[in-house]
Amino acid sequence: MHDAESPTAESGDAIAEAFAVVARSAPEIRDGLAGRRGKTDGRNASGETQLAADVWADDLLEERLTAIDEVGQFASEERDDVVDAGDGEYAVTVDPLDGSSNLKPNNTMGTILGVYDADLPAPGSHLVGAAYVLYGPITTMVTAREGEVTEYVIESEARRASEPSSGDEPRDDGEVRRRAVREDVTLPADPTVYGFGGRVPNWTDRFADYAGDVEEELKLRYGGAMIGDVNQVVTYGGVFAYPELDSRPEGKLRLQFEGNPIAYIVESAGGASSNGKESLLDADAEEIHQRTPVYVGNEDLIERLEAEF
Ligand code: AFP
């Protein structure tokens, strides 16, 4: 399709190329959702019913990310096993459509990317880049590498034609442009929002105690798609958690596809992450679809959580 024209293709910078592939694919994924809201008969490795959109977005990203020479492995929340993509030194992971249960009620969703310099499953300490796309009122992308976090607005050709010119020279990814709207993104020091997943009666007592204090101080922002909720925290400061549950001490979210990349981005933006006892990036990665409690946000809010656990 439009891979070859992009100036970043074949640049040998696998992280930049992976970012460009996801940026280029975002408008197409967004435009392709409307006709793919139906359920399939399939279930992913986590036992979740797959929507047509989940499978379609997964196939699209697999095809394009494995076409990058330096990519040797591909894994997805929607696939049981790691795909061997040749002898490239990098492994990429995707959550093709985070929050796909939000497609039916037309709420926010996201796409999550992780780039590891080790075979999968790999701990977050082997991440060399991570990014997420947020399909909200507009389409944005947040990337992190070498401690640098940047937020972009993604503009497809059609959308660009109708937009007033911002004058900024956007990054060219072929027919899709990324315009940097925030460089050196850092969590605001004064947190204002929180979002906690899982049913409240199912929270463990120690998490419920922590949540009780936080609810006194911050405003609730929870939409059911981690990317939308985490972007609230990255924008306004605060804490997001999908915690340990009485019925599921390991929580719901997947370490490889969700926990690690989000922890890498939030920590690169001056925040912190935890699984209740240590940074998510230090957690052992034993299985490709292993779950983990996820806590990310301002350092002091995460230190408080670990002190209470
Ligand atoms: P879906 O992809 O099945 O919508 O799950 C979204 C998610 O993985 C994550 O984005 C949310 O934070 C969390 O699950 C929502 O879970 P609840 O539906 O239990 O609130």
Side-chain angles (χ1 to χ4, degrees):
M1 186 144 108
H2 41 243
D3 291 9
E5 306 96 29
S6 163
T8 58
E10 314 311 329
S11 64
D13 180 343
I15 302 167
E17 286 176 49
F19 289 169
V21 162
V22 171
R24 260 199 310 275
S25 305
E28 204 176 331
I29 289 175
R30 188 183 188 118
D31 294 347
L33 295 174
R36 295 181 174 87
R37 300 167 80 187
K39 289 182 180 164
T40 69
D41 303 336
R43 283 182 179 277
N44 67 20
S46 304
E48 295 159 344
T49 301
Q50 291 177 309
L51 300 183
D54 287 318
V55 177
W56 169 73
D58 181 45
D59 289 342
L60 183 148
L61 291 168
E62 189 259 349
E63 182 198 330
R64 293 176 187 175
L65 288 166
T66 55
I68 300 172
D69 289 350
E70 294 82 4
V71 169
Q73 286 190 326
F74 171 90
S76 164
E77 188 180 287
E78 300 303 332
R79 277 165 205 257
D80 295 354
D81 305 312
V82 176
V83 174
D84 179 354
D87 50 20
E89 66 192 281
Y90 294 102
V92 295
T93 63
V94 296
D95 180 353
L97 283 178
D98 171 59
S100 58
S101 60
N102 272 357
L103 183 51
K104 196 170 180 184
N106 190 25
N107 272 264
T108 57
M109 296 163 59
T111 291
I112 311 172
L113 171 78
V115 183
Y116 295 80
D117 64 1
D119 284 353
L120 300 172
S125 53
H126 277 284
L127 276 167
V128 289
Y132 63 75
V133 172
L134 175 56
Y135 307 102
I138 60 174
T139 306
T140 55
M141 182 176 189
V142 171
T143 65
R145 67 175 302 182
E146 292 149 11
E148 270 291 311
V149 179
T150 309
E151 182 182 29
Y152 300 89
V153 167
I154 294 186
E155 300 158 334
S156 62
E157 194 105 32
R159 196 175 289 270
R160 233 184 9 257
S162 64
E163 293 284 338
S165 156
S166 67
D168 304 346
E169 191 44 43
R171 176 185 287 270
D172 183 348
D173 294 316
E175 290 137 7
V176 174
R177 294 275 167 87
R178 257 185 288 163
R179 185 160 43 84
V181 288
R182 283 200 296 160
E183 313 259 5
D184 197 18
V185 173
T186 305
L187 268 66
D190 181 18
T192 61
V193 300
Y194 76 95
F196 298 150
R199 292 181 51 253
V200 174
N202 209 357
W203 288 348
T204 59
D205 291 348
R206 62 184 185 176
F207 181 72
D209 292 346
Y210 171 80
D213 299 340
V214 169
E215 286 162 0
E216 296 295 323
E217 303 157 24
L218 307 179
K219 289 186 296 187
L220 174 61
R221 290 288 181 275
Y222 188 79
M226 176 174 68
I227 292 306
D229 299 327
V230 165
N231 206 52
Q232 293 268 10
V233 169
V234 169
T235 305
Y236 294 120
V239 56
F240 167 83
Y242 203 102
E244 58 176 21
L245 303 172
D246 286 331
S247 62
R248 193 188 258 171
E250 74 279 13
K252 175 187 182 182
L253 304 182
R254 281 53 57 141
L255 177 68
Q256 212 74 72
F257 309 107
E258 296 168 305
N260 277 343
I262 293 307
Y264 184 88
I265 292 168
V266 170
E267 292 195 17
S268 300
S273 79
S274 182
N275 57 9
K277 63 181 192 298
E278 63 191 348
S279 163
L280 280 161
L281 302 180
D282 297 332
D284 294 337
E286 276 122 21
E287 288 155 37
I288 196 73
H289 292 284
Q290 77 185 68
R291 299 177 192 268
T292 179
V294 169
Y295 312 96
V296 293
N298 288 69
E299 273 188 0
D300 60 325
L301 288 164
I302 299 301
E303 281 161 10
R304 260 168 60 184
L305 175 113
E306 290 190 344
E308 286 191 28
F309 275 33

